[in-house]
Amino acid sequence: MSVLEILTYPDPLLNEPAKPVESINSRIHRVIDDMAETMYQAPGVGLAATQAGINKCVIVFDPEADSEKQDFQVFINPKIIEFSGTTISENEGCLSVPDFRSDVERFERIVVEGLDMHGKNLKFEATGLLSVILQHEIDHLNGILFIDRISALKRQMYKRKRKKQLKDES
Ligand code: NI
């Protein structure tokens, strides 16, 4: 297993929609292992392949990533097929959006359908934190960042701050 480099805003690859996985083979399993290791090392509660520059519809997540056992879940080609209600996810953050957090409006309840790592159909309902993580990671697969879901004013503020940060680093 190896830790992958996580792309950060404004890398244009983060805006590219990912392609569906057509065959679940050892290459995909390798990607999944690397993504999980990268997520725990970051640390984060979810990671989409897009964030590692891999153009495949794969996400890994673990709402309890800070606990000792590393019991992550995988979703291949996930799709939100039902959604209802709204909730505010407080202080949402993203490994690809350094040094910024914001409240984001999300659906309260979703039903997600896709495949597990063995290619078996997987469908479940999520609420609360899990629902927010899944919406966030599935957004990544569609080339959407959480800063695309906040007010234009806040987004501009972040973009300016990030520009300055990158300039200072160079
Ligand atoms: Ni993210």
Side-chain angles (χ1 to χ4, degrees), residues 28-40:
I28 290 293
H29 285 157
R30 173 76 202 262
V31 164
I32 290 167
D33 286 345
D34 289 348
M35 283 173 62
E37 192 175 353
T38 307
M39 171 179 77
Y40 286 119

PDB file of all heavy atoms in Angstrom, residues 28-40:
ATOM      1  N   ILE A  28      -8.083  -2.027  -9.333  1.00  0.00           N
ATOM      2  CA  ILE A  28      -9.032  -1.242  -8.534  1.00  0.00           C
ATOM      3  C   ILE A  28      -8.832  -1.542  -7.047  1.00  0.00           C
ATOM      4  O   ILE A  28      -8.880  -0.641  -6.208  1.00  0.00           O
ATOM      5  CB  ILE A  28     -10.494  -1.543  -8.974  1.00  0.00           C
ATOM      6  CG1 ILE A  28     -10.761  -0.947 -10.368  1.00  0.00           C
ATOM      7  CG2 ILE A  28     -11.513  -1.019  -7.970  1.00  0.00           C
ATOM      8  CD1 ILE A  28     -10.744   0.577 -10.450  1.00  0.00           C
ATOM      9  N   HIS A  29      -8.590  -2.813  -6.723  1.00  0.00           N
ATOM     10  CA  HIS A  29      -8.368  -3.156  -5.309  1.00  0.00           C
ATOM     11  C   HIS A  29      -7.129  -2.463  -4.766  1.00  0.00           C
ATOM     12  O   HIS A  29      -7.101  -2.017  -3.615  1.00  0.00           O
ATOM     13  CB  HIS A  29      -8.282  -4.673  -5.138  1.00  0.00           C
ATOM     14  CG  HIS A  29      -9.626  -5.321  -5.234  1.00  0.00           C
ATOM     15  ND1 HIS A  29      -9.808  -6.633  -5.566  1.00  0.00           N
ATOM     16  CD2 HIS A  29     -10.872  -4.817  -5.046  1.00  0.00           C
ATOM     17  CE1 HIS A  29     -11.102  -6.912  -5.574  1.00  0.00           C
ATOM     18  NE2 HIS A  29     -11.764  -5.818  -5.268  1.00  0.00           N
ATOM     19  N   ARG A  30      -6.136  -2.345  -5.601  1.00  0.00           N
ATOM     20  CA  ARG A  30      -4.907  -1.647  -5.213  1.00  0.00           C
ATOM     21  C   ARG A  30      -5.211  -0.159  -4.950  1.00  0.00           C
ATOM     22  O   ARG A  30      -4.762   0.414  -3.954  1.00  0.00           O
ATOM     23  CB  ARG A  30      -3.879  -1.829  -6.340  1.00  0.00           C
ATOM     24  CG  ARG A  30      -2.594  -1.061  -6.212  1.00  0.00           C
ATOM     25  CD  ARG A  30      -1.677  -1.707  -5.187  1.00  0.00           C
ATOM     26  NE  ARG A  30      -0.728  -0.721  -4.692  1.00  0.00           N
ATOM     27  CZ  ARG A  30       0.523  -0.598  -5.137  1.00  0.00           C
ATOM     28  NH1 ARG A  30       0.960  -1.425  -6.048  1.00  0.00           N
ATOM     29  NH2 ARG A  30       1.317   0.330  -4.651  1.00  0.00           N
ATOM     30  N   VAL A  31      -5.992   0.432  -5.862  1.00  0.00           N
ATOM     31  CA  VAL A  31      -6.396   1.838  -5.712  1.00  0.00           C
ATOM     32  C   VAL A  31      -7.157   2.030  -4.396  1.00  0.00           C
ATOM     33  O   VAL A  31      -6.911   2.972  -3.641  1.00  0.00           O
ATOM     34  CB  VAL A  31      -7.269   2.288  -6.924  1.00  0.00           C
ATOM     35  CG1 VAL A  31      -8.012   3.581  -6.640  1.00  0.00           C
ATOM     36  CG2 VAL A  31      -6.406   2.443  -8.175  1.00  0.00           C
ATOM     37  N   ILE A  32      -8.074   1.094  -4.115  1.00  0.00           N
ATOM     38  CA  ILE A  32      -8.878   1.181  -2.886  1.00  0.00           C
ATOM     39  C   ILE A  32      -7.977   1.125  -1.644  1.00  0.00           C
ATOM     40  O   ILE A  32      -8.123   1.918  -0.713  1.00  0.00           O
ATOM     41  CB  ILE A  32      -9.932   0.052  -2.857  1.00  0.00           C
ATOM     42  CG1 ILE A  32     -11.007   0.324  -3.927  1.00  0.00           C
ATOM     43  CG2 ILE A  32     -10.563  -0.088  -1.464  1.00  0.00           C
ATOM     44  CD1 ILE A  32     -11.912  -0.867  -4.216  1.00  0.00           C
ATOM     45  N   ASP A  33      -7.032   0.190  -1.632  1.00  0.00           N
ATOM     46  CA  ASP A  33      -6.111   0.076  -0.488  1.00  0.00           C
ATOM     47  C   ASP A  33      -5.307   1.361  -0.301  1.00  0.00           C
ATOM     48  O   ASP A  33      -5.155   1.856   0.818  1.00  0.00           O
ATOM     49  CB  ASP A  33      -5.130  -1.083  -0.699  1.00  0.00           C
ATOM     50  CG  ASP A  33      -5.805  -2.431  -0.494  1.00  0.00           C
ATOM     51  OD1 ASP A  33      -6.911  -2.455   0.077  1.00  0.00           O
ATOM     52  OD2 ASP A  33      -5.216  -3.452  -0.907  1.00  0.00           O
ATOM     53  N   ASP A  34      -4.813   1.890  -1.414  1.00  0.00           N
ATOM     54  CA  ASP A  34      -4.021   3.126  -1.331  1.00  0.00           C
ATOM     55  C   ASP A  34      -4.881   4.295  -0.867  1.00  0.00           C
ATOM     56  O   ASP A  34      -4.435   5.127  -0.073  1.00  0.00           O
ATOM     57  CB  ASP A  34      -3.412   3.459  -2.703  1.00  0.00           C
ATOM     58  CG  ASP A  34      -2.297   2.489  -3.084  1.00  0.00           C
ATOM     59  OD1 ASP A  34      -1.850   1.716  -2.224  1.00  0.00           O
ATOM     60  OD2 ASP A  34      -1.881   2.513  -4.262  1.00  0.00           O
ATOM     61  N   MET A  35      -6.125   4.351  -1.350  1.00  0.00           N
ATOM     62  CA  MET A  35      -7.014   5.440  -0.946  1.00  0.00           C
ATOM     63  C   MET A  35      -7.312   5.373   0.546  1.00  0.00           C
ATOM     64  O   MET A  35      -7.335   6.392   1.233  1.00  0.00           O
ATOM     65  CB  MET A  35      -8.334   5.377  -1.731  1.00  0.00           C
ATOM     66  CG  MET A  35      -8.221   5.897  -3.160  1.00  0.00           C
ATOM     67  SD  MET A  35      -9.752   5.618  -4.087  1.00  0.00           S
ATOM     68  CE  MET A  35     -10.924   6.598  -3.141  1.00  0.00           C
ATOM     69  N   ALA A  36      -7.534   4.146   1.055  1.00  0.00           N
ATOM     70  CA  ALA A  36      -7.830   3.998   2.485  1.00  0.00           C
ATOM     71  C   ALA A  36      -6.615   4.436   3.309  1.00  0.00           C
ATOM     72  O   ALA A  36      -6.749   5.189   4.285  1.00  0.00           O
ATOM     73  CB  ALA A  36      -8.206   2.553   2.801  1.00  0.00           C
ATOM     74  N   GLU A  37      -5.449   4.000   2.889  1.00  0.00           N
ATOM     75  CA  GLU A  37      -4.251   4.382   3.635  1.00  0.00           C
ATOM     76  C   GLU A  37      -4.073   5.907   3.623  1.00  0.00           C
ATOM     77  O   GLU A  37      -3.734   6.511   4.642  1.00  0.00           O
ATOM     78  CB  GLU A  37      -3.016   3.693   3.042  1.00  0.00           C
ATOM     79  CG  GLU A  37      -1.823   3.848   3.968  1.00  0.00           C
ATOM     80  CD  GLU A  37      -0.585   3.095   3.510  1.00  0.00           C
ATOM     81  OE1 GLU A  37      -0.681   2.329   2.524  1.00  0.00           O
ATOM     82  OE2 GLU A  37       0.462   3.290   4.153  1.00  0.00           O
ATOM     83  N   THR A  38      -4.330   6.507   2.476  1.00  0.00           N
ATOM     84  CA  THR A  38      -4.202   7.958   2.325  1.00  0.00           C
ATOM     85  C   THR A  38      -5.199   8.689   3.229  1.00  0.00           C
ATOM     86  O   THR A  38      -4.854   9.670   3.884  1.00  0.00           O
ATOM     87  CB  THR A  38      -4.441   8.350   0.846  1.00  0.00           C
ATOM     88  OG1 THR A  38      -3.565   7.572   0.025  1.00  0.00           O
ATOM     89  CG2 THR A  38      -4.184   9.822   0.616  1.00  0.00           C
ATOM     90  N   MET A  39      -6.435   8.169   3.270  1.00  0.00           N
ATOM     91  CA  MET A  39      -7.473   8.793   4.102  1.00  0.00           C
ATOM     92  C   MET A  39      -7.082   8.755   5.586  1.00  0.00           C
ATOM     93  O   MET A  39      -7.182   9.764   6.282  1.00  0.00           O
ATOM     94  CB  MET A  39      -8.806   8.066   3.901  1.00  0.00           C
ATOM     95  CG  MET A  39      -9.895   8.503   4.870  1.00  0.00           C
ATOM     96  SD  MET A  39     -11.455   7.639   4.579  1.00  0.00           S
ATOM     97  CE  MET A  39     -11.127   6.036   5.325  1.00  0.00           C
ATOM     98  N   TYR A  40      -6.622   7.592   6.060  1.00  0.00           N
ATOM     99  CA  TYR A  40      -6.267   7.483   7.485  1.00  0.00           C
ATOM    100  C   TYR A  40      -5.049   8.313   7.829  1.00  0.00           C
ATOM    101  O   TYR A  40      -4.939   8.869   8.905  1.00  0.00           O
ATOM    102  CB  TYR A  40      -6.027   6.022   7.868  1.00  0.00           C
ATOM    103  CG  TYR A  40      -7.314   5.232   7.966  1.00  0.00           C
ATOM    104  CD1 TYR A  40      -7.546   4.133   7.153  1.00  0.00           C
ATOM    105  CD2 TYR A  40      -8.306   5.601   8.879  1.00  0.00           C
ATOM    106  CE1 TYR A  40      -8.729   3.414   7.235  1.00  0.00           C
ATOM    107  CE2 TYR A  40      -9.491   4.893   8.970  1.00  0.00           C
ATOM    108  CZ  TYR A  40      -9.696   3.799   8.148  1.00  0.00           C
ATOM    109  OH  TYR A  40     -10.866   3.098   8.237  1.00  0.00           O
TER     110      TYR A  40
END
